[in-house]
Amino acid sequence: MIKKYSIKELLNKGKFLIDQKVLVEGWIRSFRYSIFIILNDGSTINNLQIILSKKFDKKIIKKITIGSSIRVIGIVKKSIGKKQYIELKSLDIIIYESVDKEILQKSILQPKKHSFEKLREQAHLRFKTNIFSCVMRIRHHIAFCIHKYFHEHGFFYLHTPIITTSNCEGTGKMFQITTMNLKNQPIDYTKDFFKCETYLSVSGQLEAESASLGLGKVYTFGPVFRAENSNTSRHLSEFWMIEPEIAFYHLEENINLAENFLKFIIKYIVENSMEDLTFLDQRLKKYSQKNRLLEKLELILKFPFKKISYTEVIKILDQEEKKKNIKFLHPIVWGMDLQSEHEQYLVDKYFKTPVVIFDYPCIIKAFYMRVNNDGKTVRAMDILFPEIGEIIGGSQREERYDILLQRMKDTNTDKNKLWWYLDTRRFGSVPHSGFGLGFDRIVQFITGMNNIRDVIPFPRTPNNAEF
């Protein structure tokens, strides 16, 4: 029986398979001189060269077009060319589906450079392109190693609800879920499917907190939704979040966990996705003046993150503005929410390393964050990365019932909707912490892609829900 190999397996084991008969399947990337077929099956960025036998009928050769899917039985041979170690001398070819040349000319599969905007217009086909297949394979490995990390560190995977009645952060627009005709006024939500107002969740944090207060260590990994009209290269309407929650953890332990977690992901990808990273790195060298991708990733692993309080950050930005005559668009005032320009300056210009900022003012942070003794700041932290800005946001949670209740009043958070969350502070409450990592953001950082829409299979953004 002839053994079937993926192209990745065949290329890896090729030197041990010389002169053996094998079977491969894939899509044709190019066809040259009516002899050389370049085949790929998605398992690797590298292609397999097929040498056509002269015995093949010309009618079959005419059907061999770019994008066509084929099955090949052939003999593994050591390649004469320098670009590959092995090639396959064909004995038999079955064409599953031939692509019409006129249709091909209108698609992104034709062999020429396409803009990313054009690729998004044919998102159902871009999996077959070199760059997008690289990104998707890396995305898979990042997801896998996230589960691996938490499993090895004693966390339990928790599935939190996608349908919710509350906004975790208390700000921002949410997508409403209803079976009712909202044109009818007044609206009686007791007649709706869930008998109350419901929305697509922006976070699983509050539910994860309650689970951590019984299980110790939990994490969520799933889709979340935000209805803000943010049409930028850094925002999606539907995206994926990782949110660990840990009982008996203080802020310092939370920061150390987040740094260790990020470095684990990057180290894993460098060790397991080098072929794809190298391809993306070469692309950046060709089309961009940014830091080289591999150098950027190695820099994250090389040094500890810089840890600094919000108050110290404000002093640094104020001094830099005065000393170096830098003009920020947003004035530097204690109590302000740091903007992208401030974050980028700190990471790319001042420290030149990832930065952890902690102890933010109460007035700009969510109700659930633990209040410090000064009464003005909370035990919050953000991790900033080069080029991308904030990649993790987290905090030590407020475990004290009375103070949490007061914070909910101060921020106009509906305690009636979150009665159960308040209730967790009455049954053996403990110090606990957690953070959120935007999955698509870390994929964007690791792959070096400029637009977050190019690191998710089918992006959902304002005015776009196609495919």
Side-chain angles (χ1 to χ4, degrees), residues 136-154:
M136 288 298 103
R137 282 188 293 268
I138 290 174
R139 184 182 174 100
H140 156 77
H141 284 295
I142 295 172
F144 176 81
C145 79
I146 285 169
H147 288 296
K148 176 180 170 66
Y149 178 88
F150 286 125
H151 178 72
E152 291 177 354
H153 286 77

Side-chain angles (χ1 to χ4, degrees), residues 4 10 17 42 49-50 56 70-72 104 118 168 192 286 293 297 304 336 410 425 431 438 451:
K4 178 179 174 180
L10 191 57
L17 299 173
Q49 181 166 277
I50 312 290
F56 284 108
I70 63 173
R71 186 186 86 156
V72 183
L104 178 66
K118 184 69 175 178
C168 174
D192 205 352
K286 188 175 181 180
L293 182 59
L297 298 179
M336 65 175 289
D410 293 341
R425 272 54 175 180
N451 198 313

